[in-house]
Amino acid sequence: MTEALLSVRDLRVAFATEGGTVRAVDGVSFELAAGEVLAIVGESGSGKSVTAQTILGLTRGPNARIEGSVRLGGTELLGADEEILRAVRGARVAMIFQDPMTSFNPVHRVGAQIVEAIRAHRPEVGRDEARRRAVELLDAVGIPAPERRVDSYPHELSGGMRQRAMIAMALSLEPEVLIADEPTTALDVTVQAQILRLLERLNRERGLATILITHDLGVVAEVADRVLVMHEGEIVERGSLDEVFYSPRDPYTRALLGAVVRLDSAPPLRAAREGEALLEVSDLVKHYPVRGGLLRREVDRVRAVDGVGFELRRGETLGLVGESGSGKSTLCRAVLGLIEPDAGSVRFEGREIAGLSRRAMRPLRRRMQMVFQDPYASLNPRRRVGQIVGEPLRLQGEAGGAERRRQVLELLDRVGLEAGHYDRFPHEFSGGQRQRIGIARALALRPKLIVADEPVSALDVSIRAQILELLGELQEDFGLTYLFVAHDIGVVRHVSDRIAVMHEGRIVEIGPADEVCERPRDAYTEELLAAVPVPDPRLARARRQNVRSG
Amino acid sequence: MAAFIARRLAGMVAVLFAVSVLTFLIFNVIPNSDPAQRMAGKNATPQLVANITEEWGFDESLPQQYLTMMGKILSGDVISYEGRENVDERIVEGIPPTFSLCFGAAAIWMFFGVLFGYLSAVRAGGPLDRALTIVAVAGISLPIFLIGEVLLVYLTYKTEILPSGGYVKLGESPLEWAEHLILPWVTLAIVYVGIYSRVLRSNMLDAMNEDYVRTARAKGLSERRVMSRHVMRNSLVPVVTLFGLDFGALLGGAIVVEAIFSLNGIGEYAYISLINTDLPPIMAITLFGAFFIVLFNTLVDIAYAYLDPRVKLGEAAR
């Protein structure tokens, strides 16, 4: 075995908080050899990001207690002076982060931020030369027209381009180690595939040793050589990619692998729904004007939804898949009567609702409810769970006093929460529990239709399966019809009878879930399916071979 | 950009019209404000009052009176009720003292506000931060007239270090100009130093938790550079907004400070006119002040688009 480039020994990081000491990382040891890709896998709160940031001393602070050893080559980094650390940061060990939007400073040009990194370590490099180098780097990571893009501001680039620029910045001083902290989590799946290919290429061509931090086992299977599984601050499993995926020893690893909803695994067979239509959408159009000039005339339009039609039968689940900007959210809002479409019709239970006034819409609202993506942002932090779940009942004048309390308690029980949760606040709950609260609120008025907008994408993978199961049970018990919106086609296939694929404001393909996933007719659907990372290293390798030889 | 400015100019005309109508109406509905009665004096005969009423046009309809007055203000012919002097000329005379006061005070408060805010944020929680917090809160809480009078008592009447007030033209003697303005500058700046340092401090503390600051550290920048280029730069945007609004409002007259130090500027003129319920100068000064407020609002928006490239002129910030 080659000598370790980076070695972490018995790393412990504890933070003093108001609630006591939190042991974020509890005795972690590992080595990184030159040229390898090491994946650190874990769910939120497992300590994987803290481990990575501590390597570069980014977690230092008055409330942090850090012990152990981090050696890079012959240099100890853990107790090192800021000066020594600064010489390592960016130059020998570079880092990229999850959200490329917030990780770039929005007020400086992308090129200037790269130039700044170069000149911080090599002040002798002139501005013009550093800028030339920035252009080369942007070119190397596959950004088109780099000599123009170097002068762009971060918000002028797409998410994928921003992450490429971030990688370019990380490469600017030819570091030995790249730490990538959830580098593709905020990206669309087709863009994620491109970024993973790029990281793989850099690793192959430049021998760049990489620590990849992620919660996504599919991503791991695509790029990693070795895997560490972290749980509650400790490493519970370590080994080569195949060892961890095909013969996991630790029960947590096994549970994690079992919880993944896989695109290629056959979902439970569902009886075909032949009932009457609950929702009929036809030729729906919603354009947003882009205004400019002295009189704010319309100069262009964003075709958010551009002629969409589909039917949703009672008791059915229609999965709506698409990447960001495809028009999914606009379509949902139009279906719920929250925005008025420019043209087309939305019929709910045979009644036209497009263009109805707010007053006329009100009695219909109780029959169609929404479950939101972010269980943190969609619950009012200053209200108690009982009030949140009971609010629809109160607003619609449904039930008051003791009766409302009884109904709310019943709902809480139904979604797997306890009576004792009635008087608690949202921040006291985990992400999965919060999503249960959101579901209970949506169910309060016994709706017919539930529009679920990315209901599990903010959740950890083990929680995800539980929530999907809950949604399935509730559908049976309450006779619900779901419009299930998600960017993850694997999750969608798992829960849907039929799938509609949206792209640039249109539905490019709609059909039975299996058919769309197994025999896609549209080129875009095919691209989307190919981009989904499979949490199966052998399959991933085979697919890559195909891509290379094909 | 040109379209934006054109739209703003049109908006300015609308604002000035609304402000002038409101001011005019208020002074015509408050009691005891019949200007003819007051101009005629205490023992005036009804005939005298009637003559004045006719001569000044107080018997015409309100819209007509409004139009006449606006015409006179804009053409420079408007005469005040008290003292019968030309209002526009008097305002022009007041510009040098008022502007000298505002520019000097603004320079002081921006310098110390930003300095104190920066030091507080960088040393947040430490003794320096606490000391500066006390200074800032004291500055914000103490009324301006109290600060002004206390400074006058100790630096003028008891020790005779500085002159008690009055305005000396910059062209006559720059040294005396500055000497006479030091106390007014400091008095006016103290409040704003307090506010600005607190605003900058909290903006900087928020910015320090941003992801891009972590990125800046991770690429090996020195702490000083992280602070100046990434934390400070982004935190100054709201401070600039605040500055534009405050400064624009003061150019229309810093009433309290000018009155305390008898600077004979626009603010003091406004103060005297208000006491005398003298409508023509009040109208003119209100328009003058509103003009600067709208102007600086526009400048702030332009500065915003320059400081934050995500903001496009004429669109709501995201």
Side-chain angles (χ1 to χ4, degrees):
Chain A
M1 188 174 163
T2 44
E3 205 198 321
L5 183 59
L6 180 78
S7 86
V8 174
R9 285 267 157 272
D10 200 27
L11 183 68
R12 287 168 203 275
V13 185
F15 296 105
T17 68
E18 282 170 25
T21 307
V22 176
R23 293 172 186 281
V25 178
D26 204 8
V28 161
S29 303
F30 64 88
E31 292 187 340
L32 178 72
E36 78 168 336
V37 178
L38 174 69
I40 304 183
V41 188
E43 297 188 293
S44 49
S46 61
K48 57 191 194 302
S49 286
V50 174
T51 303
Q53 293 186 20
T54 305
I55 292 172
L56 282 180
L58 294 174
T59 50
R60 287 182 179 189
N63 297 323
R65 208 180 68 239
I66 303 171
E67 294 165 21
S69 146
V70 174
R71 293 183 78 82
L72 175 70
T75 322
E76 173 63 48
L77 297 183
L78 215 55
D81 282 357
E82 276 292 316
E83 278 307 300
I84 295 173
L85 265 179
R86 220 154 49 68
V88 170
R89 289 177 187 159
R92 300 186 61 194
V93 180
M95 198 158 178
I96 59 174
F97 301 95
Q98 174 170 351
D99 191 339
M101 180 72 243
T102 59
S103 298
F104 269 119
N105 189 330
V107 308
H108 296 299
R109 292 173 202 275
V110 169
Q113 300 191 48
I114 298 176
V115 167
E116 182 185 46
I118 296 172
R119 286 171 48 89
H121 293 279
R122 300 225 191 99
E124 75 280 3
V125 176
R127 245 167 232 293
D128 291 342
E129 201 193 325
R131 187 187 144 90
R132 265 197 302 282
R133 178 99 183 96
V135 173
E136 281 169 25
L137 286 161
L138 292 176
D139 190 40
V141 296
I143 291 182
E147 52 296 306
R148 212 155 41 80
R149 283 308 183 191
V150 75
D151 288 323
S152 295
Y153 287 102
H155 72 276
E156 295 168 338
L157 302 179
S158 67
M161 286 300 147
R162 275 197 291 262
Q163 194 61 292
R164 282 173 193 269
M166 200 74 204
I167 294 170
M169 186 159 83
L171 295 177
S172 60
L173 290 142
E174 294 175 351
E176 298 145 72
V177 179
L178 176 69
I179 301 176
D181 190 354
E182 301 270 10
T184 58
T185 307
L187 304 176
D188 277 327
V189 61
T190 51
V191 180
Q192 162 170 294
Q194 294 162 11
I195 295 292
L196 291 178
R197 289 289 85 75
L198 172 64
L199 287 175
E200 198 195 6
R201 199 189 84 210
L202 295 171
N203 170 254
R204 203 173 57 232
E205 289 174 2
R206 306 186 178 213
L208 182 63
T210 306
I211 298 179
L212 175 72
I213 311 236
T214 181
H215 68 281
D216 188 332
L217 289 159
V219 168
V220 174
E222 295 275 335
V223 294
D225 299 319
R226 277 198 308 134
V227 183
L228 304 177
V229 181
M230 275 190 82
H231 182 51
E232 292 178 353
E234 294 178 41
I235 293 177
V236 295
E237 177 110 25
R238 63 176 78 220
S240 73
L241 190 58
D242 286 13
E243 280 166 9
V244 171
F245 274 82
Y246 299 123
S247 45
R249 285 181 301 267
D250 185 77
Y252 176 76
T253 312
R254 281 201 287 269
L256 203 59
L257 284 163
V260 180
V261 179
R262 289 179 58 163
L263 174 62
D264 55 333
S265 66
L269 270 178
R270 302 173 64 112
R273 320 266 163 181
E274 290 298 340
E276 48 170 325
L278 179 73
L279 181 76
E280 295 153 278
V281 176
S282 54
D283 303 319
L284 196 70
V285 175
K286 180 72 194 177
H287 291 178
Y288 290 103
V290 178
R291 293 185 188 282
L294 180 57
L295 299 170
R296 330 249 344 106
R297 263 189 297 256
E298 186 179 317
V299 292
D300 200 0
R301 11 184 69 202
V302 176
R303 296 165 195 282
V305 174
D306 202 18
V308 164
F310 64 88
E311 206 181 87
L312 192 52
R313 291 187 277 273
R314 281 185 197 276
E316 184 188 37
T317 299
L318 176 67
L320 185 61
V321 195
E323 299 189 285
S324 49
S326 61
K328 291 177 305 204
S329 302
T330 307
L331 177 60
C332 289
R333 271 184 256 161
V335 163
L336 290 167
L338 295 172
I339 54 170
E340 202 173 315
D342 295 330
S345 105
V346 179
R347 296 177 79 81
F348 181 71
E349 297 185 315
R351 198 173 154 201
E352 179 62 48
I353 60 167
L356 277 191
S357 68
R358 273 165 183 264
R359 180 190 290 267
M361 217 28 236
R362 222 173 117 100
L364 286 171
R365 291 236 189 273
R366 51 185 310 156
R367 317 184 67 103
M368 35 171 80
Q369 290 287 317
M370 189 153 181
V371 174
F372 299 92
Q373 169 172 9
D374 190 341
Y376 297 82
S378 58
L379 301 176
N380 186 335
R382 285 182 186 75
R383 315 207 81 191
R384 294 172 197 278
V385 169
Q387 292 172 311
I388 291 171
V389 176
E391 189 167 34
L393 295 168
R394 190 173 60 77
L395 290 178
Q396 292 271 356
E398 187 72 8
E403 171 59 18
R404 184 155 77 219
R405 190 184 164 89
R406 194 191 62 74
Q407 285 190 21
V408 170
L409 286 173
E410 200 183 298
L411 283 165
L412 290 182
D413 180 56
R414 195 59 206 79
V415 299
L417 295 171
E418 289 158 28
H421 293 148
Y422 189 92
D423 285 318
R424 300 238 210 116
F425 289 99
H427 71 261
E428 299 173 65
F429 294 88
S430 67
Q433 285 174 315
R434 279 184 236 208
Q435 199 54 293
R436 287 172 194 267
I437 298 170
I439 292 169
R441 173 174 62 183
L443 287 177
L445 292 164
R446 310 281 148 144
K448 291 284 159 220
L449 172 67
I450 288 198
V451 175
D453 188 2
E454 302 271 8
V456 297
S457 51
L459 303 176
D460 275 328
V461 59
S462 59
I463 310 294
R464 225 175 253 194
Q466 295 167 14
I467 296 291
L468 291 177
E469 198 177 321
L470 174 68
L471 286 171
E473 285 169 27
L474 295 171
Q475 181 166 39
E476 292 300 315
D477 296 359
F478 290 82
L480 296 169
T481 304
Y482 289 139
L483 180 58
F484 190 98
V485 186
H487 67 280
D488 182 341
I489 199 166
V491 168
V492 171
R493 181 182 188 185
H494 195 75
V495 299
S496 304
D497 301 304
R498 290 188 302 143
I499 292 180
V501 181
M502 256 192 113
H503 184 51
E504 293 178 349
R506 293 165 182 276
I507 289 181
V508 294
E509 178 157 6
I510 184 165
D514 286 356
E515 229 174 275
V516 172
C517 292
E518 303 287 341
R519 293 176 296 279
R521 280 170 292 133
D522 184 80
Y524 174 74
T525 314
E526 236 174 293
E527 191 189 333
L528 202 62
L529 288 165
V532 178
V534 198
D536 186 332
R538 282 173 200 148
L539 209 64
R541 273 194 293 269
R543 278 213 315 198
R544 266 195 312 245
Q545 284 301 326
N546 271 339
V547 172
R548 255 176 238 160
S549 58
Chain B
M1 181 80 171
F4 173 76
I5 291 174
R7 264 203 308 281
R8 277 312 184 85
L9 280 176
M12 180 187 279
V13 172
V15 168
L16 294 184
F17 174 71
V19 164
S20 61
V21 168
L22 277 175
T23 316
F24 186 78
L25 282 180
I26 289 168
F27 274 82
N28 275 287
V29 296
I30 56 173
N32 275 332
S33 68
D34 180 7
Q37 190 74 53
R38 276 184 293 114
M39 281 158 98
K42 269 185 186 153
N43 303 315
T45 61
Q47 184 56 42
L48 181 59
V49 174
N51 284 348
I52 291 174
T53 302
E54 205 199 322
E55 190 188 331
W56 288 74
F58 294 139
D59 50 352
E60 290 173 46
S61 71
L62 282 183
Q64 186 57 50
Q65 284 190 48
Y66 169 79
L67 287 178
T68 312
M69 181 173 293
M70 285 301 282
K72 283 182 176 172
I73 289 175
L74 295 177
S75 63
D77 295 332
V78 68
I79 305 291
S80 68
Y81 300 157
E82 294 281 332
R84 319 267 156 100
E85 55 179 353
N86 185 302
V87 172
D88 290 352
E89 280 170 18
R90 177 68 187 76
I91 288 179
V92 171
E93 266 173 50
I95 287 177
T98 296
F99 280 28
S100 300
L101 170 66
C102 292
F103 278 96
I108 294 175
W109 94 56
M110 276 309 265
F111 180 79
F112 285 100
V114 169
L115 179 71
F116 289 177
Y118 179 86
L119 291 174
S120 278
V122 174
R123 300 253 177 273
L128 180 64
D129 177 31
R130 266 172 234 178
L132 288 173
T133 300
I134 293 170
V135 171
V137 172
I140 296 169
S141 321
L142 290 172
I144 238 177
F145 53 84
L146 180 70
I147 298 172
E149 296 295 348
V150 168
L151 289 177
L152 268 180
V153 167
Y154 284 97
L155 296 177
T156 300
Y157 304 134
K158 292 208 170 161
T159 56
E160 295 183 2
I161 296 172
L162 289 166
S164 72
Y167 177 74
V168 178
K169 284 191 183 125
L170 180 61
E172 273 172 23
S173 159
L175 202 68
E176 277 191 52
W177 170 82
E179 207 180 26
H180 280 80
L181 278 167
I182 288 176
L183 281 183
W185 281 340
V186 171
T187 308
L188 185 57
I190 281 178
V191 182
Y192 293 106
V193 168
I195 296 173
Y196 281 53
S197 67
R198 297 310 286 171
V199 169
L200 183 63
R201 176 183 185 271
S202 73
N203 284 338
M204 283 182 65
L205 289 180
D206 283 346
M208 283 180 202
N209 287 320
E210 293 283 350
D211 287 353
Y212 56 76
V213 172
R214 184 180 59 188
T215 309
R217 287 210 177 93
K219 67 187 182 188
L221 299 191
S222 65
E223 199 58 17
R224 175 182 297 199
R225 196 164 167 89
V226 171
M227 284 297 160
S228 64
R229 216 175 124 81
H230 293 278
V231 177
M232 259 285 264
R233 171 69 169 73
N234 296 48
S235 305
L236 277 178
V237 177
V239 173
V240 168
T241 312
L242 207 58
F243 178 76
L245 299 181
D246 287 338
F247 190 68
L250 282 178
L251 287 181
I255 294 179
V256 178
V257 174
E258 287 186 29
I260 295 172
F261 296 101
S262 328
L263 288 182
N264 213 12
I266 298 164
E268 196 182 355
Y269 189 34
Y271 170 70
I272 295 165
S273 307
L274 279 166
I275 289 175
N276 295 330
T277 336
D278 195 350
L279 183 56
I282 290 170
M283 286 278 286
I285 294 169
T286 308
L287 283 174
F288 182 79
F291 168 80
F292 281 107
I293 290 175
V294 177
L295 176 71
F296 273 83
N297 253 305
T298 309
L299 292 179
V300 162
D301 285 345
I302 293 171
Y304 232 101
Y306 172 75
L307 288 171
D308 188 339
R310 287 169 299 178
V311 176
K312 287 214 179 84
L313 282 179
E315 283 173 28
R318 264 175 289 177

